[in-house]
């Protein structure tokens, strides 16, 4: 992760704030680091495009483009959008009145004002890369996902692909990396910013250990830069495009785009305070669908978190570890006599206390780790969480159906059945806790600690479920449970 720090809008924002661009960037990049730390998002490197290592990589990359004959000097004119740091084609513009009612040209997509700009710049021969880009995408249908964004890029490649202005006059833009051997020009902020993917893995010396087996995670609004310009620049510099570009959509608020002017911008720090870091992460990942914009409002968050985390998951853990039904506070033993292995689904009706739904639960939870891994890999985290939530509901139904609190613990046969119900329930909870670790780290830790799982027993790979059902030993059976960790997730009040 990191911050993209050069460009005209930064230069102008610093001037308006009465500070220098480096001081502004130092402060703002610190806020991003703080937000990531607060949200429990870890990173192996936080790159800043104002760092010397990045500047060196950008200048080397520029040299590779120049040596390949991909650059030429030409006069460029067009409508420039400073907030987006890009030229906007006439077809993407419309006239809208400003606050005083005066007409102004704005970008249709963002609503930002544009200004006519004419200057001598270095140009990149983007037009010659249509065929190589089309070939790359046709040979790699998973290069851009989800699929609607892949299709959008293919459509762009059927349109006109004009050469790209890749520098600005230094007299207009001082806050940026100078063009090597031409101090009158500054490298265009987007070319500079995109190279951070290379500089952070050691370009130009040691990037080969990573490149091109890299995945970029980007917002849909910067898809063109990542899926057209960046792969073309890489090909021109003699490098392969990234292996995958994973694209996500935006959050709206009650159906409206977030904007400062509407005053509807959601502050993540406030949300973490309201819902806890786990609650906020769970909501965003459970409801965030990459291929389309999703709507955010507080009542929706409260309803989802109370239903799925506080009631369904938290309630299940509390009920299945309660002292009244598990006075010894141990991981109970499983009885094959009480819950015999089903070889044929038609047998389900004749297994005494075990019902067809119980076998459906066992099958669903057994297949859950592979299902979740597949969805995580496919950048569809919401689908993984949907599957987990569905299994949690099934486990609650299982527990409710058999009412273990009504069983007589003094009767050996009843005790055996009670232990089996608890064993199956705790095994389900162990799987859910393990699979939820990347999403709700604190809550998953609480759950797994209550089940007395050590650090080496929490891995996602090789996660097995209900070994005793398959006649194999279970390492947790008979183990003393961990101390009561309290309420798993505190119910939220409606705001």
């Amino acid at each position: 992760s990191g911050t993209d720090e050069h460009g005209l809008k930064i230069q102008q924002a610093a001037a308006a704030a009465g500070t220098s661009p480096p001081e502004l960037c130092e402060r703002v990049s610190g806020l991003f680091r703080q937000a990531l730390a607060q949200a429990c998002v870890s990173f192996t490197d936080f790159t800043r495009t104002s760092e010397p290592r990045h500047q060196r990589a950008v200048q080397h990359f520029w040299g590779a483009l120049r040596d390949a004959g991909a650059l030429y000097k030409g006069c460029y004119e067009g409508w420039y959008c400073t907030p987006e740091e890009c030229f906007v084609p006439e077809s993407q513009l419309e006239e809208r009145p400003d606050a005083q009612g005066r007409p102004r040209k704005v970008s249709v997509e963002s609503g930002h004002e544009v200004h006519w700009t004419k200057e001598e710049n270095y140009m990149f021969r983007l037009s010659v890369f249509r065929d190589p880009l089309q070939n790359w995408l046709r040979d790699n249908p998973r290069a851009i996902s989800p699929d609607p964004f892949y299709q959008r890029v293919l459509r762009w490649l059927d349109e006109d692909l004009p050469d790209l202005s890749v520098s600005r006059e230094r007299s207009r833009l001082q806050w940026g990396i100078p063009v090597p051997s031409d101090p009158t020009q500054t490298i265009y902020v987007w070319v500079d910013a995109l190279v951070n993917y290379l500089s952070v893995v050691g370009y130009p010396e040691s990037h080969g250990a990573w490149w091109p087996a890299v995945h970029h995670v980007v917002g849909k609004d910067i898809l063109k830069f990542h899926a057209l310009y960046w792969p073309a620049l890489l090909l021109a510099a003699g490098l392969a495009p990234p292996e995958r570009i994973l694209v996500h959509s935006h959050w709206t608020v009650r159906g409206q785009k977030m904007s400062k002017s509407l005053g509807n911008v959601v502050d993540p720090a406030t949300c973490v305070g309201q819902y806890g870091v786990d609650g906020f992460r769970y909501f965003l990942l459970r409801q965030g669908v990459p291929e389309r914009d999703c709507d955010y409002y507080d009542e929706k968050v409260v309803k989802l978190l109370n239903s799925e985390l506080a009631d369904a998951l938290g309630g299940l853990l509390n009920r299945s570890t309660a002292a009244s039904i598990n006075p010894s506070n141990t991981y109970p033993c499983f009885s094959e006599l009480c819950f015999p292995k089903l070889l044929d689904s038609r047998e389900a009706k004749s297994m005494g206390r075990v019902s067809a739904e119980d076998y459906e639960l066992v099958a669903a939870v057994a297949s859950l780790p592979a299902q979740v891994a597949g969805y995580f890999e496919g950048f569809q985290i919401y689908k993984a969480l949907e599957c987990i939530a569905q299994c949690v509901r099934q486990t609650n139904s299982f527990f409710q159906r058999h009412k273990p609190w009504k069983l007589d613990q003094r009767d050996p046969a009843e005790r055996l059945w009670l232990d089996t119900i608890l064993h199956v329930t705790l095994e389900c909870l162990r799987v859910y806790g393990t699979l939820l670790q990347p999403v709700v780290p604190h809550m998953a830790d609480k759950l797994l600690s209550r089940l007395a799982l050590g650090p080496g027993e929490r891995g996602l790979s090789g996660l097995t479920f209900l070994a005793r059902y398959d006649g194999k030993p279970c390492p947790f059976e008979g183990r003393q449970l961990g101390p009561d960790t309290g309420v798993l997730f505190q119910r939220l009040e409606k705001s």
Side-chain angles (χ1 to χ4, degrees):
S1 190
T3 42
D4 160 19
E5 300 185 2
H6 290 134
L8 193 57
K9 67 177 173 187
I10 307 288
Q11 186 175 295
Q12 291 175 349
T19 186
S20 69
E23 285 167 334
L24 177 75
C25 291
E26 184 68 33
R27 184 176 66 80
V28 176
S29 93
L31 292 173
F32 275 100
R33 285 185 82 117
Q34 200 178 312
L36 291 176
Q38 197 177 21
C40 281
V41 176
S42 57
F43 43 83
T44 45
D45 200 310
F46 189 95
T47 183
R48 297 179 57 193
T49 60
S50 58
E51 292 171 336
R53 63 171 175 167
H54 176 71
Q55 184 159 337
R56 197 169 65 85
V58 171
Q59 288 175 325
H60 189 278
F61 189 80
W62 182 276
L65 295 176
R66 183 194 56 219
D67 296 348
L71 303 175
Y72 64 93
K73 213 164 187 184
C75 192
Y76 193 87
E77 54 185 320
W79 295 100
Y80 194 76
C81 177
T82 301
E84 293 170 62
E85 296 283 16
C86 67
F87 284 95
V88 183
E90 193 80 46
S91 60
Q92 293 297 306
L93 299 174
E94 66 179 14
E95 282 211 349
R96 286 184 202 164
D98 64 11
Q100 284 73 43
R102 294 174 300 218
R104 59 181 189 142
K105 272 200 188 303
V106 299
S107 160
V108 172
E109 195 169 332
S110 68
H112 292 132
E113 190 169 0
V114 295
H115 301 279
W116 187 259
T117 305
K118 183 178 180 179
E119 54 185 54
E120 190 178 43
N121 297 146
Y122 284 94
M123 306 293 291
F124 170 65
R125 299 182 195 279
L126 181 64
S127 51
V128 303
F129 285 93
R130 171 185 268 115
D131 287 349
L133 288 173
Q134 285 178 327
N135 293 339
W136 162 60
L137 287 175
R138 293 208 172 112
D139 291 345
N140 299 279
R142 289 177 74 248
I144 299 165
S145 59
D147 188 63
F149 298 114
Y150 172 78
Q151 299 300 337
R152 187 183 298 179
V153 177
L154 285 178
R155 286 196 298 275
W156 283 336
L157 285 167
D158 287 334
E159 297 167 9
D160 191 29
L161 206 62
D163 287 351
L164 187 66
S165 168
V166 287
S167 72
R168 303 294 314 272
E169 286 177 358
R170 192 104 186 130
S171 57
R172 291 175 194 251
L173 176 62
Q174 298 85 46
W175 180 237
I177 299 171
V179 167
S181 70
D182 188 346
T184 68
Q185 296 278 315
T186 300
I187 295 173
Y188 174 45
V189 61
W190 267 104
V191 175
D192 160 0
L194 287 162
V195 175
N196 93 81
Y197 295 117
L198 283 171
S199 59
V200 80
V201 291
Y203 180 82
E205 293 88 18
S206 53
H207 60 286
W210 279 88
W211 205 270
V214 293
H215 293 187
H216 300 338
V217 181
V218 304
K220 67 175 186 178
D221 53 324
I222 50 175
L223 179 60
K224 190 170 273 186
F225 295 94
H226 283 83
L228 284 187
Y229 304 160
W230 179 226
L233 288 162
L234 286 164
L235 290 168
L239 293 162
E243 193 173 281
R244 289 193 81 187
I245 299 168
L246 303 166
V247 190
H248 62 79
S249 298
H250 294 165
W251 283 98
T252 56
V253 175
R254 298 191 184 276
Q256 288 184 299
K257 191 173 179 177
M258 276 193 223
S259 83
K260 287 177 186 166
S261 56
L262 287 173
N264 67 347
V265 176
V266 175
D267 176 9
T270 306
C271 294
V272 167
Q274 273 177 298
Y275 311 123
V277 65
D278 280 350
F280 190 45
R281 285 166 65 110
Y282 185 83
F283 175 80
L284 294 178
L285 292 166
R286 173 79 168 89
Q287 294 284 302
V289 179
E291 45 266 70
R292 63 174 183 272
D293 289 352
C294 299
D295 206 34
Y296 180 96
Y297 51 93
D298 291 326
E299 299 89 331
K300 189 179 184 179
V301 185
V302 171
K303 190 177 175 186
L304 178 87
L305 299 184
N306 280 347
S307 157
E308 294 192 358
L309 298 188
D311 299 345
L313 193 61
L316 186 64
L317 178 67
N318 284 349
R319 294 165 81 197
S320 59
T321 55
S324 56
I325 60 168
N326 187 358
S328 63
N329 195 41
T330 52
Y331 210 102
C333 295
F334 178 87
S335 164
E336 289 98 330
L337 286 172
C338 292
F339 207 126
K341 188 170 171 83
L342 183 66
L343 300 173
D344 186 330
S345 58
R346 286 169 299 189
E347 294 173 22
K349 293 187 179 95
S350 61
M351 301 308 273
R353 284 173 146 168
V354 187
S355 68
E357 293 96 327
D358 301 338
Y359 286 108
E360 283 166 19
L361 168 69
V362 168
V365 181
S367 64
L368 190 62
Q371 217 174 2
V372 166
Y375 283 135
F376 271 32
E377 190 63 34
F379 197 52
Q380 292 182 304
I381 297 163
Y382 73 103
K383 284 191 177 176
L385 296 182
E386 211 169 89
C387 292
I388 295 171
Q390 171 60 28
C391 282
V392 172
R393 282 193 291 274
Q394 277 180 270
T395 315
N396 271 298
S397 298
F398 165 77
F399 199 80
Q400 195 62 32
R401 188 161 53 246
H402 296 299
K403 299 181 173 53
W405 57 91
K406 286 192 170 179
L407 297 171
D408 183 357
Q409 298 183 30
R410 291 163 304 184
D411 179 333
E414 295 269 278
R415 179 77 231 184
L416 220 50
W417 177 228
L418 168 66
D419 284 351
T420 302
I421 294 167
L422 295 181
H423 183 94
V424 171
T425 306
L426 296 191
E427 277 290 275
C428 290
L429 282 165
R430 182 175 64 81
V431 170
Y432 308 148
T434 306
L435 295 174
L436 285 169
Q437 287 174 111
V439 178
V440 284
H442 300 109
M443 212 176 91
D445 175 54
K446 238 177 155 178
L447 193 160
L448 297 174
S449 296
R450 181 70 175 107
L451 301 183
L453 264 74
E457 298 171 321
R458 302 180 175 198
L460 292 166
S461 60
L463 174 60
T464 55
F465 166 67
L466 209 58
R468 293 277 274 112
Y469 177 74
D470 290 312
K472 295 170 188 163
C474 170
F476 312 108
E477 208 171 42
R479 183 186 292 190
Q480 194 70 29
L481 291 179
D484 188 349
T485 48
V487 176
L488 190 64
F489 187 84
Q490 194 69 49
R491 272 187 69 82
L492 300 162
E493 297 299 319
K494 287 179 183 167
S495 54

